[in-house]
Amino acid sequence: MLPGAACAFAVLLSPAVLPDQAGRVLTAAALPFGFYAAGATARALRPGHPVADRLLAVGVLHLAGIAGAVAGARLPGGSWPAATVGWVSAVLFASGFVALLDLLARYPTGQYAWAWVAGPVRVAAVATAIVTTVAVLGSPRIVSVLELPTGPNPAHLAALASASGAFLVALAAPLLGLGLLLARYRGASVLDRGQMRWPIVTTAVLVAGLVSTGLAERVLGPEVQTALFVGAATAVPASFLIGLLRRTEEADRLAAVEESRARIAQVAVSERRRIERDLHDGAQQQLLALLARVELARARLGEGDEAVERELGAIGEAIGSVHRDLRELARGIHPAVLTDCGLVEAVRSALARLPLDTRLDVSPDVERSRFGEPVEAAAYFLVLEGVTNVLKHADTADAHVSITAAGGLLTVTVRDPGRGFADPREPRGGLTGLRDRLAAAGGVLEVTSRPGYGTTLRGVLPVAGHV
């Protein structure tokens, strides 16, 4: 921040230092000032974000190059100090384009989309410094990034005269960065694409302006070309800043939603367990006590009225049936075996009660593990919903359930070779609630089906750790 402020201050002094060149200096500095201001704002609002640092780096390097050009124009022409300042300012200014390449390669997340990109960016930085140095040595006059009047170059090497314009290769860096950004856009999420569109448009305008500078000057004139280019280019840093702020706000909002979902899932699991306990300790125990009283009354009745005995027997059977239904209801709300023994035993217990020929495959890691309550509950009810749908709709008695864990993900799959259905993307009955249940635990549900080829439910749930 401080070096950038010093360079900005030096550029703003140009009207006093070079009155006859002040317009050219300030016009050239408009875009670097935009990057510097955008970077400083981004750093204040999103400290530590790589995109903020790169925005600031582009502005500082270009301002430093321009400040060096102003300082070099005030030094004695043809002197070694002037040549040294011209060389340093040229390297800094060219490096600003490499910083723009790095910004485009990292935008909008701050990380490279592909690990291999880091190598070419480093090579571009080193190559730019070397090529610029060669161009400076090959120039017969002291190099000025603003093309200000300078004296003869005391470091000129005639053998390198043909390379005097080689530093213009640095202008290809933004073009390469734009290509990387476009390639990243193709595979980006909807959130990232929304923040990438305007930077792509504004950077394309900037690159087109850099490439066509000579032609535009001849057609429109230097003044008109400069005014149009500067006006369009100042939108570039603003588009990056707005995209960065909007993306981080959306990311924060999504993170808050995910945290809220996780809390809701945990509360739902706890509430289901509470209801199950209440049913077990309350209504079920009362029914058992009532059944015991009926049996006691029948024992005391002895060989009494057969009609009364039959009625008491019927009442006892009805109470027993209600108790069994209530026990099944409690098990469906949150099966005790899921809490006590884990996911695999709960699934085995559920499948054993169903009239299906179900094959269950469980990976050893899952067999020996316990997962978080929301994850186990979501996985259990996925299996339950899947096999229930096989019974109701698949017109088959065969099903295959598999549960695996790898790479921090628990995958639960229920397949059947039944009749299937036409559009698995359309919400159908319990699948909508199942999607919501998995989403609340941080997972996703994939449904694959085709008429005559069966149905596959595949749930993927993140497991941060397991016991």
Side-chain angles (χ1 to χ4, degrees), residues 69 72-73 75-78 82 86 139-145 147-153:
L75 293 172
S139 175
R141 301 190 66 80
I142 293 174
V143 170
S144 172
V145 298
E147 298 183 354
L148 299 175
T150 57
N153 183 8

Side-chain angles (χ1 to χ4, degrees), residues 149-402:
T150 57
N153 183 8
H156 172 59
L157 298 177
L160 299 177
S162 61
S164 60
F167 66 88
L168 293 176
V169 174
L171 298 180
L175 182 60
L176 176 59
L178 179 60
L180 289 172
L181 187 59
L182 288 171
R184 185 173 195 158
Y185 181 85
R186 293 182 60 187
S189 65
V190 175
L191 171 62
D192 286 345
R193 283 190 173 194
Q195 317 314 325
M196 293 165 72
R197 291 189 182 100
W198 278 111
I200 287 174
V201 172
T202 55
T203 304
V205 172
L206 174 63
V207 171
L210 290 171
V211 172
S212 63
T213 296
L215 176 62
E217 283 185 353
R218 287 195 296 271
V219 175
L220 302 174
E223 293 79 10
V224 175
Q225 185 273 339
T226 300
L228 290 176
F229 177 73
V230 171
T234 50
V236 176
S239 66
F240 279 104
L241 175 62
I242 293 171
L244 170 63
L245 297 180
R246 286 185 59 189
R247 186 188 186 281
T248 50
E249 287 173 0
E250 290 293 333
D252 291 345
R253 189 177 297 113
L254 288 175
V257 170
E258 291 300 324
E259 290 177 2
S260 176
R261 273 182 166 182
R263 289 194 298 270
I264 292 172
Q266 184 63 50
V267 169
V269 170
S270 300
E271 185 64 15
R272 284 194 295 271
R273 292 183 64 183
R274 184 191 65 79
I275 294 173
E276 188 268 335
R277 286 194 302 268
D278 289 348
L279 288 174
H280 179 272
D281 298 339
Q284 289 189 69
Q285 297 303 321
Q286 293 178 26
L287 286 173
L288 289 174
L290 186 58
L291 183 59
R293 291 178 62 185
V294 169
E295 293 299 325
L296 181 61
R298 290 181 65 188
R300 288 177 177 175
L301 185 62
E303 299 296 329
D305 191 335
E306 291 184 1
V308 173
E309 186 175 352
R310 284 196 302 272
E311 184 64 22
L312 288 174
I315 293 172
E317 291 178 3
I319 293 174
S321 176
V322 171
H323 177 258
R324 287 190 297 273
D325 291 344
L326 195 58
R327 186 171 56 192
E328 289 299 316
L329 174 62
R331 184 181 290 117
I333 292 173
H334 192 90
V337 66
L338 181 61
T339 302
D340 298 337
C341 303
L343 173 63
V344 177
E345 288 304 316
V347 169
R348 285 197 177 107
S349 175
L351 296 180
R353 298 193 303 270
L354 295 174
L356 282 175
D357 182 13
T358 305
R359 180 162 61 94
L360 175 63
D361 292 330
V362 181
S363 68
D365 285 346
V366 176
E367 192 80 57
R368 298 189 300 265
S369 302
R370 292 298 305 269
F371 306 93
E373 287 185 342
V375 170
E376 289 193 338
Y380 173 79
F381 285 108
L382 166 60
V383 174
L384 215 59
E385 179 71 23
V387 295
T388 301
N389 285 342
V390 174
L391 279 173
K392 291 180 178 178
H393 310 296
D395 196 21
T396 180
D398 297 328
H400 177 208
V401 177
S402 68

Side-chain angles (χ1 to χ4, degrees), residues 445-461:
L445 174 68
E446 300 172 3
V447 182
T448 306
S449 187
R450 196 153 55 110
Y453 291 88
T455 302
T456 299
L457 303 185
R458 181 173 181 267
V460 180
L461 292 150

Side-chain angles (χ1 to χ4, degrees), residues 58 93-103 121-122 124-126 128 170 173-174:
V58 174
F93 195 80
S95 298
F97 291 109
V98 179
L100 180 56
L101 161 63
D102 196 34
L103 168 64
V121 171
R122 294 192 190 97
V126 175
T128 296

